[in-house]
Amino acid sequence: AQSVTQLDSHVSVSEGTPVLLRCNYSSSYSPSLFWYVQHPNKGLQLLLKYTSAATLVKGINGFEAEFKKSETSFHLTKPSAHMSDAAEYFCVVSDLGAGGFKTIFGAGTRLFVKA
Amino acid sequence: DAGVTQSPTHLIKTRGQQVTLRCSPKSGHDTVSWYQQALGQGPQFIFQYYEEEERQRGNFPDRFSGHQFPNYSSELNVNALLLGDSALYLCASSLGVGQSLNYGYTFGSGTRLTVV
């Protein structure tokens, strides 16, 4: 079965401090993993993706994520938060298995950045 | 290079009515997927269209139907609207059914549907 769990519904950090948004996944096949960001009243924008290449993935706006198969995790990090990072973040797993191509979104993590 | 465009941006309908939402995919993309995002939740997959056919469907009733046109644009139709259909409806495009595995989706800004 395929599933995505974002471990925190809300995360609050101060500007200039590190960001960690946690994501665990379950997939019976070799998955592709993504992080998307959604600013208020906007669509989703792709931040970064893992597709079975390097396990440490760099994305836009200074974000990174590390694929850890042994821990079934794909946590999103950024060394220093900026006010403009305040948004909703979604972890996504996609795979192609016996049941066909499936994409599942996590419930989202709201990131708050304090001045 | 035009991204994904959706229309209208906002819509208010009454229970029992029918609604049609429209989506034009990113230039060069030929596959359109529709998602429903209720307030405070992640997007839920409705269905995906490729070569003018519904290729996959999520756990949504038959009141939700769609269409894809030869120019790859798509419509989402919802009949007999319920209060619970109030949500942000997102259209996502990709090149080929499986290419989103490698490249992800390009999303539109969505249509906010309110059912009263």
Side-chain angles (χ1 to χ4, degrees):
Chain A
Q2 187 190 52
S3 67
V4 179
T5 302
Q6 292 184 240
L7 298 169
D8 306 291
S9 59
H10 298 85
V11 169
S12 182
V13 301
S14 296
E15 191 175 23
T17 64
V19 175
L20 170 64
L21 305 183
R22 299 182 294 164
C23 173
N24 287 349
Y25 72 92
S26 172
S27 173
S28 301
Y29 308 94
S30 296
S32 295
L33 295 161
F34 306 85
W35 277 96
Y36 287 85
V37 61
Q38 185 177 35
H39 291 275
N41 301 314
K42 300 283 189 181
L44 284 79
Q45 180 185 17
L46 181 64
L47 269 181
L48 50 78
K49 60 183 187 289
Y50 166 78
T51 58
S52 76
T55 57
L56 181 61
V57 180
K58 294 185 185 298
I60 62 172
N61 300 334
F63 284 95
E64 293 183 350
E66 186 171 6
F67 174 70
K68 292 187 176 180
K69 186 174 181 179
S70 61
E71 300 176 9
T72 61
S73 69
F74 190 58
H75 301 336
L76 181 70
T77 61
K78 183 173 180 177
S80 177
H82 191 273
M83 296 296 289
S84 61
D85 294 328
E88 187 90 21
Y89 292 79
F90 293 97
C91 181
V92 179
V93 61
S94 290
D95 61 30
L96 181 58
F101 170 73
K102 292 186 186 298
T103 294
I104 300 292
F105 280 73
T109 297
R110 171 74 64 178
L111 176 65
F112 296 94
V113 182
K114 298 174 289 186
Chain B
D1 185 15
V4 178
T5 56
Q6 292 187 243
S7 63
T9 55
H10 295 82
L11 204 53
I12 299 175
K13 289 287 189 179
T14 304
R15 273 181 302 173
Q17 285 188 316
Q18 179 264 346
V19 69
T20 298
L21 311 182
R22 296 176 176 81
C23 171
S24 292
K26 179 180 177 178
S27 177
H29 286 182
D30 58 7
T31 303
V32 173
S33 301
W34 286 93
Y35 286 81
Q36 180 194 65
Q37 186 180 16
L39 200 60
Q41 298 183 21
Q44 301 293 314
F45 175 68
I46 303 175
F47 42 55
Q48 182 180 67
Y49 276 84
Y50 173 68
E51 292 187 332
E52 302 179 48
E53 290 188 12
E54 182 181 293
R55 299 292 175 166
Q56 290 214 19
R57 189 179 184 92
N59 188 26
F60 278 80
D62 291 345
R63 297 187 297 109
F64 289 77
S65 63
H67 189 75
Q68 186 179 34
F69 299 93
N71 66 353
Y72 310 123
S73 67
S74 176
E75 288 182 349
L76 163 65
N77 300 294
V78 186
N79 294 323
L81 284 167
L82 304 174
L83 295 179
D85 295 331
S86 295
L88 180 68
Y89 288 84
L90 294 164
C91 172
S93 73
S94 59
L95 179 58
V97 171
Q99 285 304 311
S100 57
L101 274 173
N102 294 322
Y103 301 107
Y105 290 116
T106 300
F107 280 86
S109 296
T111 294
R112 173 74 63 188
L113 173 64
T114 302
V115 182
V116 297

